[in-house]
């Protein structure tokens, strides 16, 4: 989906007053931006959807556009009035809308109390239904599932091929946009050392205390850095990735337990050192990606890293000599 659609939707939502939203069941509020007039989604349909999730203050918490990978899933039976399935069933293929899901209603019906830190009343979704597969009348479940699986597997492979073809261009654009003067290792890792740190480098048994921020190379649709993980609390909050349960601050690493490119970069600096790494996918998560972190196949990554300490391994005490 092109950015023009995102900008159009954002403008529509921003200009629309609260009374432009219609009231649905269970506290659901919705505003349909565009409709193609096709058959509505029903329980059991399999859909491909692009979605932006926001807070009421318009802070993006997740976006399929930002990871360049639409979500595909079967529409489940609604669990309560006004849940996400109820919202999706208002739409059809090609439609777009914004939904406000009532968090108090969600907490009540899911038996999961709303977190004490959650002050919003609504969770806000702006969605575009890219594809709907309906089960034909009388069609066997096995036939429908096979057709759906074949279609979406083909669609996914086409998307993966696009990611692979675009990787080199993403790396070049990131380097150019940030005016980086990189060095390149034999493996393909590109890096800029902003502070080398002390002369001693970590060994395989040492523990490195590391502050880091990991980013996808394309910026988010709002123009901000596309952060997927960080040990720095201020950056987590700015990126909408703040987790009240997280322990922020330098985190322990040992060489050989991270992705190859990250490991290689850590070996280039000492205690107090800082480095920016641009890691191609073959040194990161490759063709499989890491879906739980929003990292799609063939995604190059960037890390800003600081080693705050290197703790040398403590040698085990020698065993006492045996008596003759």
């Amino acid at each position: 989906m092109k950015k023009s659609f995102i900008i159009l939707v954002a403008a529509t939502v921003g200009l629309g007053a609260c009374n432009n939203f219609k009231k649905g069941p269970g506290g659901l509020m919705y505003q349909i931006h565009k409709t193609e007039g096709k058959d509505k989604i029903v329980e059991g349909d399999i859909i491909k959807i692009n979605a932006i999730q926001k807070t009421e203050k318009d802070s993006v918490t997740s976006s399929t556009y930002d990871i360049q990978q639409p979500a595909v899933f079967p529409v489940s039976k609604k669990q309560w009035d006004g849940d996400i399935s109820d919202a999706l069933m208002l739409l059809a293929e090609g439609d777009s809308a914004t939904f406000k899901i009532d968090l108090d209603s969600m907490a009540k019906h899911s038996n999961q109390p709303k977190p004490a830190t959650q002050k919003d009343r609504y969770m806000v979704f702006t969605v575009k239904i890219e594809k709907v597969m309906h089960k034909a009348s009388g069609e066997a479940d096995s036939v429908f599932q096979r057709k759906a699986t074949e279609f979406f597997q083909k669609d996914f492979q086409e998307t993966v091929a696009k990611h692979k073809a675009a990787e080199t261009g993403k790396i070049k654009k990131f380097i150019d946009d940030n005016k980086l003067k990189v060095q390149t290792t034999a493996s393909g890792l590109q890096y800029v050392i902003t502070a080398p740190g002390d002369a001693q480098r970590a060994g395989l048994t040492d523990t490195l205390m590391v502050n880091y921020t990991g980013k996808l190379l394309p910026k988010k649709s709002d123009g901000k850095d596309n952060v997927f993980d960080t040990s720095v609390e201020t950056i987590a909050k700015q990126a909408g990735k703040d987790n009240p349960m997280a322990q922020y601050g330098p985190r322990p690493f040992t060489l050989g337990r991270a992705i190859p490119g990250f490991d290689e970069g850590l070996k280039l600096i000492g205690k107090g050192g800082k480095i920016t790494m641009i890691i191609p996918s073959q040194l990161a998560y490759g063709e499989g990606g890491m879906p739980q972190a929003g990292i799609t196949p063939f995604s190059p990554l960037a890390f800003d890293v600081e080693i705050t300490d290197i703790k040398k391994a403590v040698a085990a005490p020698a065993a006492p000599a045996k008596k003759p």
Side-chain angles (χ1 to χ4, degrees), residues 62-83:
S62 66
S63 170
T64 60
Y65 298 102
D66 291 340
I67 63 171
Q68 301 178 343
Q69 186 70 59
V72 176
F73 56 90
V75 178
S76 60
K77 181 179 181 180
K78 74 175 186 178
Q79 300 300 303
W80 65 85
D81 287 343
D83 72 358

Side-chain angles (χ1 to χ4, degrees), residues 104-252:
D104 290 326
S105 181
M106 180 185 294
K108 175 182 176 182
H109 290 95
S110 66
N111 295 318
Q112 296 291 329
K114 189 165 74 171
T117 56
Q118 176 59 265
K119 304 301 182 184
D120 287 357
R121 178 179 175 184
Y122 294 104
M123 185 183 299
V124 184
F125 296 90
T126 297
V127 305
K128 171 72 162 50
I129 309 299
E130 304 289 355
K131 177 69 179 178
V132 179
M133 290 203 73
H134 301 285
K135 181 182 174 184
S137 177
E139 185 176 30
D141 288 345
S142 59
V143 174
F144 174 65
Q145 290 296 332
R146 185 177 69 252
K147 285 168 52 180
T149 299
E150 290 173 353
F151 176 85
F152 287 111
Q153 280 182 343
K154 181 181 178 183
D155 181 82
F156 177 73
Q157 290 304 320
E158 290 173 350
T159 300
V160 169
K162 290 177 182 178
H163 288 317
K164 184 177 181 179
E167 180 171 2
T168 300
K170 289 178 182 178
I171 292 173
K172 184 180 185 304
K173 186 176 189 312
F174 181 84
I175 291 171
D176 291 346
D177 287 351
N178 290 280
K179 298 179 172 60
L180 300 177
K181 295 182 178 180
V182 299
Q183 299 183 67
T184 306
T185 68
S187 69
L189 172 70
Q190 298 185 70
Y191 65 94
V192 177
I193 295 175
T194 52
D198 63 22
Q200 188 175 15
R201 298 295 183 260
L204 290 175
T205 58
D206 297 339
T207 298
L208 297 85
M209 300 305 296
V210 177
N211 265 322
Y212 67 90
T213 296
K215 297 177 279 190
L216 301 176
L217 298 198
K219 287 188 179 292
K220 294 166 63 175
S221 53
D222 60 7
K224 296 180 180 179
D225 283 344
N226 206 340
V227 174
F228 64 86
D229 190 19
T230 183
S231 64
V232 183
E233 186 173 15
T234 53
I235 294 176
K237 289 180 176 179
Q238 291 167 0
K241 298 288 184 179
D242 185 34
N243 180 353
M245 304 300 292
Q247 296 292 319
Y248 290 104
R251 294 177 181 171

Side-chain angles (χ1 to χ4, degrees), residues 39-66:
D39 291 340
K40 294 288 192 289
I41 294 168
V42 298
E43 177 190 338
D45 286 348
I46 299 176
I47 66 173
K48 175 182 175 182
I49 180 174
N50 269 308
I52 303 171
Q53 181 179 333
K54 294 184 178 182
T55 66
E56 284 189 271
K57 294 182 179 179
D58 212 35
S59 176
V60 175
T61 55
S62 66
S63 170
T64 60
Y65 298 102
D66 291 340

